């Protein structure tokens, strides 16, 4: 069981916003590398073999595509890998694309983890009291996407069972037509159900089953403090890697790197502390 998912939704949401923001903001730095591998470790912890397959099938190709695509169209750099008709393809161009690919891959994996941890119930608990109608709408939209994917798979399996599943545009359009009809029908059923329950007749009440405990407060202080420290250090300098014209490492801030490392592996550390606690309790039996 994932211990991090047991925290208050505010903790999980603050964590993902912090690591994703840092990853996007500090693209050409060691923070990108830390974020990438931390996201991979946590995603693997959540989804295990499925995460490894997703990493190999989607994340790795995206990283390499970004690296080689950037190398093909960037003309700066001092170290040439090879030349074609007088055009140099440089290490610097490849490195710049690699960092961009790592940033994209890290953000994608963090969002994969976000989808596993921040459920619709937690999203409602976070923003239901502030903007209940908008929160409900967003929650329904997010639920609608996986529902469409699952329904499309059911239609495909039904076609296979009847022996009518064939490849081609005509069959794909037939499945899409069936999917659209089913989704519209479910939308009407949802609207009728909400109307029968009196939705929109009066001011809505708000209920949350999540309690903010002392451990949540400690985690919130750590996450917010770590994020503020990472950004405050960057006001002076941050561990940026200069790529043009040559590769140079400037201003390595070891405190910033250490704090962000602890922040990015915080969900894994929460699991480790829970495992240690369980072993101690088990040893007393």
């Amino acid at each position: 069981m994932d211990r991090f998912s047991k925290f208050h939704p505010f903790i999980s949401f603050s964590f993902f916003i912090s690591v994703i923001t840092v990853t996007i903001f500090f693209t050409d730095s060691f923070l990108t590398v830390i974020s990438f591998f931390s996201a991979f470790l946590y995603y693997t912890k959540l989804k295990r073999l499925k995460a490894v397959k997703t990493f190999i099938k989607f994340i790795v190709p995206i990283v390499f595509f970004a690296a080689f695509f950037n190398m093909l169209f960037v003309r700066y750099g001092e170290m040439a890998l090879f030349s074609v008709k007088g055009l140099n393809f440089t290490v610097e161009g490849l490195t710049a694309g690699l960092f961009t690919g790592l940033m994209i891959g890290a953000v994608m994996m963090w969002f994969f983890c976000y989808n596993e941890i921040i459920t619709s119930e937690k999203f409602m608990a976070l923003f239901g009291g502030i903007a209940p109608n908008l929160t409900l709408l967003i929650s329904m939209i997010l639920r609608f996407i996986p529902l469409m994917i699952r329904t499309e798979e059911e239609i495909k399996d039904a076609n296979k069972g009847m022996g009518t599943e064939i490849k081609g545009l005509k069959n794909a359009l037939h499945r899409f037509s069936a999917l659209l009809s089913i989704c519209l029908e479910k939308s009407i059923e949802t609207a009728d159900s909400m109307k029968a329950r009196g939705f929109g007749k009066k001011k809505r009440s708000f209920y949350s089953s999540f309690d903010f405990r002392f451990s949540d407060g400690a985690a919130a202080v750590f996450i917010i403090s770590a994020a503020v420290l990472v950004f405050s250090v960057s006001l002076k300098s941050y561990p940026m890697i200069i790529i043009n014209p040559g590769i140079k490492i400037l201003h390595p801030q070891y405190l910033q790197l250490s704090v962000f490392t602890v922040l990015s592996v915080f969900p894994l550390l929460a699991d480790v502390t829970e495992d240690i606690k369980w072993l101690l309790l088990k040893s007393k039996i």
Side-chain angles (χ1 to χ4, degrees):
M1 182 62 67
D2 182 57
R3 173 67 179 87
F4 183 69
S5 62
K6 301 293 184 63
F7 281 107
H8 191 274
F10 175 77
I11 305 303
S12 305
F13 188 79
S14 300
F15 170 79
F16 286 116
I17 289 296
S18 299
V19 293
I20 291 173
T21 303
V22 171
T23 303
I24 296 174
F25 190 84
F26 299 99
T27 303
D28 297 331
S29 74
F30 293 111
L31 299 180
T32 306
V33 181
I34 294 172
S35 179
F36 181 84
F37 286 104
S38 299
F40 170 68
L41 290 175
Y42 187 46
Y43 186 45
T44 304
K45 168 67 172 56
L46 293 175
K47 303 298 290 185
R48 300 188 183 278
L49 184 59
K50 183 179 179 181
V52 177
K53 291 180 178 179
T54 303
F55 181 79
I56 295 174
K57 289 175 62 177
F58 297 104
I59 304 301
V60 173
I62 286 173
V63 173
F64 280 100
F65 175 79
F68 283 102
F69 185 84
N70 190 76
M71 181 186 66
L72 292 177
F73 292 95
V74 166
R75 300 275 72 89
Y76 60 74
E78 298 175 343
M79 299 175 61
L81 283 172
F82 57 90
S83 298
V84 177
K85 295 183 179 180
L87 294 178
N88 291 330
F89 298 91
T90 63
V91 174
E92 287 78 7
L94 182 66
T95 304
L98 180 62
F99 274 102
T100 302
L102 289 175
M103 183 272 291
I104 296 173
V107 171
M108 289 181 63
M109 286 188 289
W110 283 128
F111 272 114
F112 291 158
C113 297
Y114 174 92
N115 289 332
E116 293 294 324
I117 300 300
I118 306 294
T119 61
S120 58
E121 182 183 6
K122 291 182 178 181
F123 191 80
M124 288 291 294
L126 275 173
F127 302 104
I130 303 173
N133 293 335
L134 179 61
T135 304
L136 178 62
L137 177 62
I138 295 175
S139 179
M140 292 175 68
I141 292 172
L142 294 176
R143 175 184 176 273
F144 189 69
I145 295 173
L147 183 62
M148 283 187 63
I149 296 174
R150 188 162 55 249
T151 305
E152 193 275 335
E153 292 176 350
E154 291 175 356
I155 295 172
K156 188 175 181 179
D157 291 338
N159 287 339
K160 287 182 179 179
M162 294 185 297
T164 58
E165 178 64 23
I166 58 175
K167 294 183 179 180
L169 180 61
K170 184 178 180 180
N171 186 58
L173 291 175
H174 177 73
R175 286 207 312 267
F176 178 75
S177 176
L179 175 64
L180 187 62
S181 300
I182 293 174
C183 289
L184 289 175
E185 184 179 353
K186 289 184 177 180
S187 299
I188 294 173
E189 291 175 356
T190 302
D192 291 339
S193 177
M194 294 174 68
K195 185 178 179 180
R197 288 176 169 83
F199 182 82
K201 296 293 184 181
K202 56 182 179 179
K203 186 177 179 181
R204 294 179 58 200
S205 60
F206 176 72
Y207 170 76
S208 175
S209 60
F210 300 98
D211 297 325
F212 199 85
R213 299 162 296 182
F214 177 79
S215 59
D216 297 319
V221 170
F222 167 72
I223 292 172
I224 295 173
S225 301
V228 170
L229 179 61
V230 170
F231 278 99
S232 61
V233 172
S234 68
L235 295 176
K236 182 179 180 181
S237 61
Y238 69 94
M240 183 174 62
I241 299 176
I242 300 298
I243 299 175
N244 185 21
I247 299 177
K248 295 180 181 178
I249 300 175
L250 299 180
H251 312 297
Q253 296 290 339
Y254 299 108
L255 176 61
Q256 186 187 42
L257 292 172
S258 302
V259 170
F260 182 69
T261 300
V262 177
L263 174 63
S264 58
V265 299
F266 176 72
L268 297 173
L269 293 177
D271 281 343
V272 171
T273 55
E274 188 73 8
D275 292 340
I276 293 174
K277 182 179 178 181
W278 168 248
L279 291 175
L280 291 175
L281 292 174
K282 191 177 180 180
S283 64
K284 294 180 181 180
I285 298 176

